RNA sequence: GGCGACGUGGCGGAGUGGUUACGCAGCGGAUUGCAAAUCCGUGGACACCGGUUCGAGUCCGGUCGUCGCCUCCA
């Protein structure tokens, strides 16, 4: 049976029916992080978006029939700068950042990709690719140790980003580098100073340009051609455009990736996220503020992946509330069979907001078994359930004691005392729920141990 | 300047020609000592102006507005 999955292909700028090159090995490459700092929520968007696509492909084609590659860029001048600034060596920066990244993405419930190649492990493949591009005269070395890709040699340059070489030339800024034949030519290899990381190459000691790593790693792991290449929309130009140029020209002009998928950008409370505006939000910031990973996922997937997403804490709190409501009705289970309407929404270019709408419908109709399946698929089942924040047992006993006192007060109709106890507990971050004879309590996000101790 | 995206009810957010998205908030009710939680019910929208059509949020043209990329960036 044919699988009716439609995806918006940035290359053709239309929604297309997805057909894998090989049904038994569906291949996807997604541009991963440059590891020099904590992952911000903008980094988390592609991770979560393509996590859903990964899950969907596994669901449709089989768990062992999808290969997902997400690289780690650990050669970059921003990393060098960071190491210099902190006075530590480069590996220290990259290793630490990679560990943070893994922890943060695990917290968000993202499945691990099948491969997570690091640029530093693929330098020889990059050198091979650059050499080949030179031998085919798509690229040229300069006397000062650079190698450039000659954009005008690749007739299709600009197809992905819908740019014309002639127009690009007009808008190009003037650079000091005079060793380029054409200002649009981009760096494949650049020389390193003694302080900078470098590898021996036919062009002297140097390091790769940014774009070549993805081409080399994708080829090595996935082959010359594969199904899906993804990343943030800002990568279309020049990164992905240059990847296409390098890969196509070094792979006998074979088409590189069949589908190009790009997620939209992220704003914070209506403003562009930037360090200067001091609204730079990392995933770790959210963890520290005690938001759950599943709520962050929900919030991220409640907007279609191609739309711009305005990150608001109001929305995140709403997500948290919804998931608590759902999680009270669902039970965790292992094998999920997606409800039809939820699946259909995903098949139409990953319409996750519509899927979530369908999940609300399942809840409203009391179809909790189906809701469980959907939540399992989406990673919405709370592994880190609200209301179970650890508090010391003696404090917990104290809370129980206070509730007992309150219930005695209620029975003797001393409501002012009962309400006082409830309000004090609420102020300390303990929420009380009366249901029939029983009174239960849970911790809220505003839990304050200090205040609780004083009660 | 070039390329592109977007403008839906208080907020969020789907929907590419033919009853209704929906969630949150609001309002009314049930429940409660009063609340919280939960449940039931409910009003409210398609930036503006033209056009096509029996019929448009949905197609076409224009106006206004917001944003992104073109330089490192998810």
């Amino acid at each position: 049976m044919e699988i009716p999955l439609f995806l918006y292909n940035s290359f053709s700028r239309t929604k297309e029916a997805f057909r894998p090159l090989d049904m038994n090995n569906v291949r996807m490459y997604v541009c991963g992080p440059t590891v020099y700092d904590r992952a911000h929520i903008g980094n988390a968007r592609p991770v979560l978006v393509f996590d859903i696509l990964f899950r969907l492909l596994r669901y449709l084609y089989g768990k062992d029939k999808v290969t997902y590659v997400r690289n780690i860029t650990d050669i970059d001048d921003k990393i060098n700068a960071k190491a210099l600034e902190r006075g530590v060596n480069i590996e220290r920066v990259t290793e630490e950042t990679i560990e943070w990244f893994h922890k943060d993405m695990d917290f968000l419930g993202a499945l691990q990709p099948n491969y997570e190649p690091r640029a530093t492990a693929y330098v020889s493949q990059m050198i091979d690719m650059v050499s080949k591009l030179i031998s085919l005269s798509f690229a040229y070395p300069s006397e000062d140790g650079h190698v450039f890709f000659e954009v005008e040699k690749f007739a299709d340059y600009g197809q992905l980003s819908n740019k014309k070489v002639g127009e690009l030339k007009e808008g190009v800024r003037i650079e000091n580098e005079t060793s380029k034949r054409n200002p649009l030519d981009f760096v494949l290899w650049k020389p390193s100073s003694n302080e900078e990381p470098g590898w021996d190459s036919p062009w002297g000691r140097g390091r790769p340009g940014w774009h070549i790593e993805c081409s080399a790693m994708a080829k090595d792991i996935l082959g010359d051609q594969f199904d899906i290449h993804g990343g943030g929309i800002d990568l279309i130009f020049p990164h992905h455009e240059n990847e296409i140029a390098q890969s196509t020209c070094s792979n006998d002009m074979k088409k590189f990736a069949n589908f190009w998928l790009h997620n939209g950008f992220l704003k914070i409370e209506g403003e562009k996220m930037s360090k200067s505006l001091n609204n730079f939000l990392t995933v770790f910031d959210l963890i520290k503020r005690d938001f759950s990973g599943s709520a962050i996922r929900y919030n991220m997937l409640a907007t279609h992946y191609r739309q711009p997403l305005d990150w608001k804490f109001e929305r995140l709190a709403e997500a948290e509330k919804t998931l608590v409501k759902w999680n009270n009705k669902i039970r965790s289970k292992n094998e999920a069979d997606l409800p039809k309407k939820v699946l259909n929404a995903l098949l139409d270019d990953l319409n996750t907001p519509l899927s979530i709408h369908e999940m609300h419908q399942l809840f409203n109709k009391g179809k909790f078994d189906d809701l469980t399946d959907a939540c399992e698929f989406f990673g919405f089942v709370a592994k880190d359930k609200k209301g179970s924040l650890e508090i010391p047992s003696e404090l917990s006993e104290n809370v129980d004691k206070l509730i007992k006192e309150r219930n005695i007060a209620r029975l003797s109709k001393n409501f002012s005392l009962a309400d006082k106890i409830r309000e004090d507990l609420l102020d300390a971050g303990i929420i009380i729920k009366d249901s029939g004879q029983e009174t239960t309590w849970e911790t809220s996000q505003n839990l304050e141990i200090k205040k609780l101790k004083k009660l």
Side-chain angles (χ1 to χ4, degrees):
Chain A
M1 198 195 87
E2 211 161 88
I3 295 164
L5 170 62
F6 285 81
L7 296 172
Y8 181 87
N9 191 348
S10 302
F11 196 82
S12 61
R13 282 173 281 273
T14 54
K15 233 184 251 184
E16 294 178 28
F18 177 73
R19 302 265 178 281
L21 292 161
D22 177 359
M23 292 279 286
N24 291 309
N25 185 18
V26 183
R27 289 160 288 170
M28 172 161 79
Y29 185 100
V30 174
C31 288
T34 301
V35 284
Y36 67 101
D37 208 351
R38 284 271 181 193
H40 57 255
I41 53 175
N43 291 310
R45 171 115 104 143
V47 170
L48 291 177
V49 164
F50 290 103
D51 183 58
I52 287 294
L53 181 55
F54 183 40
R55 286 169 189 243
L56 180 63
L57 293 171
R58 281 157 59 101
Y59 182 80
L60 297 173
Y61 294 95
K63 276 191 173 160
D64 53 346
K65 297 194 171 166
V66 181
T67 307
Y68 174 24
V69 180
R70 187 182 62 214
N71 70 295
I72 286 178
T73 299
D74 59 355
I75 305 174
D76 186 277
D77 288 349
K78 288 192 290 292
I79 300 171
N80 304 343
K82 192 83 177 181
L84 201 66
E85 177 195 319
R86 289 177 49 188
V88 298
N89 62 25
I90 287 165
E91 287 70 30
R92 173 79 187 279
V93 173
T94 56
E95 290 303 324
E96 185 178 68
T97 313
I98 288 167
E99 202 186 313
W100 288 340
F101 181 75
H102 284 155
K103 276 189 184 159
D104 289 351
M105 296 309 122
D106 285 350
F107 183 80
L108 299 182
L111 301 177
Q112 289 179 0
N114 302 98
Y115 296 89
E116 209 172 29
R118 302 180 187 187
T120 45
Y122 285 82
V123 174
S124 68
Q125 286 91 331
M126 295 184 223
I127 291 174
D128 288 348
M129 189 174 270
V130 175
S131 299
K132 190 165 181 192
L133 287 168
I134 294 173
S135 70
L136 293 168
S137 65
F138 284 112
Y140 57 93
S142 69
E143 283 181 7
D144 59 0
H146 283 84
V147 180
F148 295 105
F149 184 94
E150 192 164 9
V151 166
E152 289 196 336
K153 292 276 176 70
F154 181 51
D156 288 340
Y157 191 82
Q159 233 181 60
L160 175 69
S161 54
N162 194 26
K163 292 180 190 302
K164 294 186 180 69
V165 172
E167 287 167 1
L168 279 171
K169 269 187 188 169
E170 287 170 24
V172 88
R173 68 170 183 177
I174 295 138
E175 293 181 70
N176 297 327
E177 284 176 294
T178 49
S179 50
K180 282 184 185 179
R181 289 179 189 167
N182 182 317
L184 291 182
D185 295 350
F186 58 89
V187 177
L188 295 170
W189 189 264
K190 55 187 168 188
S192 292
S193 69
N194 288 333
E195 296 79 45
E196 290 167 332
W199 289 261
D200 290 326
S201 81
W203 320 285
R205 184 174 176 280
R207 59 196 193 281
W210 172 37
H211 316 296
I212 193 75
E213 64 171 88
C214 289
S215 286
M217 295 191 284
K219 179 186 172 80
D220 196 77
I221 301 168
L222 296 176
D224 291 354
Q225 295 181 286
F226 53 95
D227 300 295
I228 297 168
H229 192 127
I233 195 167
D234 55 316
L235 293 179
I236 288 183
F237 190 88
H239 186 53
H240 290 161
E241 195 66 62
N242 292 352
E243 272 188 57
I244 291 175
Q246 297 158 352
S247 292
T248 308
C249 294
S250 62
N251 293 332
D252 306 315
M253 306 311 283
K254 280 185 276 190
K255 190 174 183 180
F256 184 41
N258 265 339
F259 276 77
W260 287 85
L261 268 63
H262 294 100
N263 63 271
F265 238 62
L266 200 137
K267 293 193 295 183
I268 294 188
E269 305 277 352
E271 283 186 311
K272 188 182 172 170
M273 181 166 69
S274 77
K275 285 184 172 164
S276 57
L277 285 169
N278 204 22
N279 64 353
F280 204 81
L281 246 195
T282 67
V283 173
F284 191 60
D285 290 332
L286 296 175
I287 296 174
K288 281 190 294 192
R289 288 176 68 165
D290 194 38
F291 288 105
S292 70
S294 47
I296 298 169
R297 281 178 81 85
Y298 181 105
N299 192 218
M300 205 68 96
L301 298 170
T303 298
H304 186 90
Y305 76 92
R306 285 195 280 122
Q307 294 290 110
L309 167 52
D310 195 1
W311 192 269
K312 289 182 175 170
F313 282 97
E314 202 183 351
R315 285 184 48 163
L316 195 53
E318 191 181 314
E320 205 79 76
K321 214 170 139 185
T322 301
L323 289 176
V324 168
K325 188 172 89 171
W326 288 358
N327 272 279
N328 283 331
K329 298 287 186 184
I330 64 179
R331 302 152 292 282
S332 184
K333 61 185 196 182
N334 292 325
E335 287 303 313
D337 187 28
L338 269 179
K340 206 169 177 197
K341 285 185 170 177
V342 175
L343 174 63
N344 283 343
L346 290 175
L347 291 175
D348 184 14
D349 194 32
L350 297 179
N351 195 339
T352 52
L354 188 56
S355 294
I356 288 173
H357 161 245
E358 296 300 346
M359 287 157 79
H360 278 288
Q361 296 315 294
L362 292 174
F363 180 90
N364 290 341
K365 288 174 190 160
K367 294 184 176 175
F368 301 128
D369 201 47
D370 284 349
L371 181 63
T372 302
D373 285 338
C375 283
E376 197 67 58
F377 179 91
F378 272 83
F380 288 167
V381 178
K383 306 281 190 273
D384 43 1
K385 236 177 187 170
K386 286 284 127 196
S388 60
L389 276 181
E390 293 281 321
I391 67 172
S393 60
E394 70 265 25
L395 283 179
S396 159
E397 280 164 24
N398 194 235
V399 171
D400 289 335
K401 211 180 86 194
L402 285 166
I403 286 176
K404 240 177 227 170
E405 275 175 37
R406 173 172 168 269
N407 281 344
I408 290 166
R410 286 170 72 203
L411 283 173
S412 56
K413 302 213 188 286
N414 185 354
F415 296 124
S416 59
L417 175 62
D419 291 352
K420 167 101 172 53
I421 293 171
R422 183 175 64 201
E423 275 157 32
D424 286 347
L425 283 170
L426 185 65
D427 188 48
I430 303 289
I431 300 168
I432 284 180
K433 292 179 180 175
D434 296 325
S435 50
Q437 296 293 311
E438 220 184 352
T439 299
T440 57
W441 61 274
E442 58 186 49
T443 53
S444 81
Q445 283 176 51
N446 310 317
L447 182 67
E448 285 185 54
I449 299 284
K450 259 190 202 166
K451 283 186 182 172
L452 195 54
K453 275 183 182 164
K454 285 181 190 160
L455 293 179

